[in-house]
Amino acid sequence: MEGINAKYVSQKISKTRWRPVSSSSLQQPDIFATGSWDNEDNKISIWSIGENGISSMDDEFEGDPQLVCEHKHNGDVLDLQFLDQDRIVTASSTGAVIIFRHHHNSQTLSVSQLWERAHHYPCDNAPCTGIVCNSPEIVTVGEDGRIILFRADQEGVLRTIENADSSTIHAVTFLRTTEILTVNSIGQLKIWDFRQQGNEPSQILSLTGDRVPLHCVDRHPNQQHIVATGGQDGMLCIWDVRQGNMPFSLMEAHSAEMWEVHFHPSNPDHLFSCSEDGSLLHWETSSNSDTPSFLQGGRNTSIVSRSALAPAGGNQSLISSWLTGDSSKGRLETTHMLPSQTLSVNSLDVLGQCL
């Protein structure tokens, strides 16, 4: 990993996300947002790594990320997603769901929409734990076991699935435009289809035996039936939601909770995970692929893992390298990306050549 830049900020950061770049442009990401937690005053902040917000391909990052603007945030930021170039949605520990607008001309942030107690218990607030956006739709999940569907620019709530879960739902991702997948604190993945009227999931997958809480989930960018999850035991699980209700493979990844897992959006043979144990791991499935330049180097503590239970993939014409049953092909290279591992790595995001 070349060009690591470390910056100290005087707040605890819970989440970080790159602002999306248009897929047509070859521009590298240059703006990211962060949210804080467990501070007297929490805030959401926008940072720039480009010189005056412009970075060119051959430009090495020079200097620190610069703070562009920030705004007070009520409660801890438990999740944060860009809805589009200008709007950021946050999940608050107060149960609120908030849309902030970034005004590029004045470089300010303002609250453009607020659903105050979206997640709640009868007499108390329930933290909103996760968000996924597919503009203009926003789906949130919470400690109250609710799933809520919003539409940006509409005041009310489009749909609530009450009692979707008797336990805390920790994270959510879209599988298709009408289908979402949630993970909960008793080790279950549940698939929900918004075309169905009821409050029942269309499918439930789980790890047999231990009900290990799952904290994070990400869907493969090109093959929506493949998802990666991570949880309290630090294991990385790859699932094929079409095949039965067991994970396709299990890898020992971290020695403590895995907080986030992300496929690279345009190079999905690469996956990244971060943990309470202070490590940031880069996983690569294919042994001889051209590694993007930003991933070369790093500490070569490569571990080779094999699929725990790897049935031969069906005869799909395009079998993802995450699902190759042949163990020689299904090898994983794992690289530690941080020089030292002390404090928890709470969040990561990867886009283009920037992590």
Side-chain angles (χ1 to χ4, degrees):
M1 177 95 181
E2 312 150 27
I4 292 185
N5 184 301
K7 182 180 176 77
Y8 177 77
V9 292
S10 56
Q11 48 181 324
K12 295 183 184 177
I13 301 290
S14 52
K15 290 287 163 181
T16 179
R17 296 286 179 259
W18 287 110
R19 184 177 76 186
V21 292
S22 70
S23 47
S24 55
S25 78
L26 291 171
Q27 189 196 354
Q28 287 299 319
D30 56 357
I31 299 280
F32 64 92
T34 58
S36 75
W37 69 291
D38 196 29
N39 299 286
E40 267 181 43
D41 290 313
N42 288 302
K43 45 196 172 189
I44 170 173
S45 310
I46 304 268
W47 306 81
S48 164
I49 58 167
E51 202 179 324
N52 309 326
I54 302 160
S55 68
S56 66
M57 289 284 281
D58 16 80
D59 229 83
E60 282 300 307
F61 306 151
E62 284 175 23
D64 282 341
Q66 300 299 315
L67 180 65
V68 176
C69 53
E70 56 189 13
H71 194 286
K72 186 177 187 302
H73 187 276
N74 288 331
D76 295 341
V77 177
L78 297 187
D79 202 1
L80 177 147
Q81 302 290 344
F82 274 88
L83 182 64
D84 52 31
Q85 295 270 322
D86 311 310
R87 290 177 296 177
I88 301 163
V89 190
T90 62
S92 171
S93 57
T94 65
V97 177
I98 311 160
I99 302 182
F100 291 90
R101 184 176 284 278
H102 177 206
H103 306 275
H104 302 271
N105 300 342
S106 58
Q107 292 299 4
T108 54
L109 276 168
S110 65
V111 174
S112 75
Q113 250 170 307
L114 167 67
W115 291 277
E116 194 121 26
R117 290 180 72 229
H119 291 272
H120 57 273
Y121 297 118
C123 313
D124 198 7
N125 296 341
C128 175
T129 52
I131 297 176
V132 65
C133 301
N134 184 13
S135 186
E137 294 187 333
I138 301 164
V139 177
T140 66
V141 294
E143 211 173 88
D144 55 356
R146 277 188 183 86
I147 298 172
I148 308 179
L149 173 64
F150 303 92
R151 204 181 158 93
D153 307 329
Q154 281 189 21
E155 298 232 334
V157 165
L158 274 193
R159 169 103 188 257
T160 302
I161 301 180
E162 298 279 352
N163 305 320
D165 220 302
S166 53
S167 59
T168 297
I169 307 176
H170 280 145
V172 58
T173 187
F174 271 105
L175 292 183
R176 299 183 177 77
T177 45
T178 57
E179 244 185 358
I180 59 163
L181 183 144
T182 59
V183 297
N184 69 13
S185 59
I186 55 171
Q188 294 173 317
L189 289 73
K190 295 184 181 180
I191 297 176
W192 307 84
D193 188 338
F194 284 130
R195 293 167 301 189
Q196 309 292 323
Q197 284 314 303
N199 285 356
E200 295 301 313
S202 56
Q203 194 180 341
I204 298 180
L205 303 93
S206 68
L207 277 166
T208 48
D210 313 338
R211 297 188 152 198
V212 176
L214 292 171
H215 291 304
C216 53
V217 60
D218 195 30
R219 188 203 85 189
H220 191 288
N222 314 333
Q223 296 180 292
Q224 57 257 47
H225 53 89
I226 301 174
V227 294
T229 61
Q232 190 161 317
D233 56 1
M235 297 285 278
L236 171 66
C237 296
I238 305 290
W239 307 72
D240 179 347
V241 300
R242 303 165 310 180
Q243 308 267 340
N245 52 7
M246 296 272 294
F248 180 81
S249 57
L250 291 152
M251 275 85 63
E252 289 188 16
H254 300 280
S255 58
E257 294 93 335
M258 186 191 298
W259 292 130
E260 282 195 26
V261 60
H262 291 288
F263 286 100
H264 191 288
S266 49
N267 284 311
D269 285 350
H270 299 267
L271 179 129
F272 301 86
S273 60
C274 66
S275 166
E276 181 70 29
D277 68 10
S279 61
L280 172 66
L281 289 180
H282 164 218
W283 304 79
E284 184 187 358
T285 53
S286 34
S287 38
N288 49 7
S289 73
D290 301 333
T291 310
S293 59
F294 77 114
L295 298 174
Q296 287 163 1
R299 303 210 336 250
N300 287 333
T301 47
S302 296
I303 318 153
V304 173
S305 324
R306 294 174 191 273
S307 300
L309 19 143
N315 29 5
Q316 304 92 327
S317 53
L318 183 71
I319 297 181
S320 163
S321 53
W322 290 102
L323 300 181
T324 36
D326 173 2
S327 59
S328 66
K329 286 195 200 121
R331 293 218 304 201
L332 268 180
E333 295 265 319
T334 315
T335 313
H336 282 272
M337 298 188 68
L338 289 179
S340 63
Q341 296 171 31
T342 44
L343 299 172
S344 171
V345 179
N346 298 333
S347 184
L348 75 97
D349 197 27
V350 62
L351 186 59
Q353 296 186 352
C354 305
L355 186 146

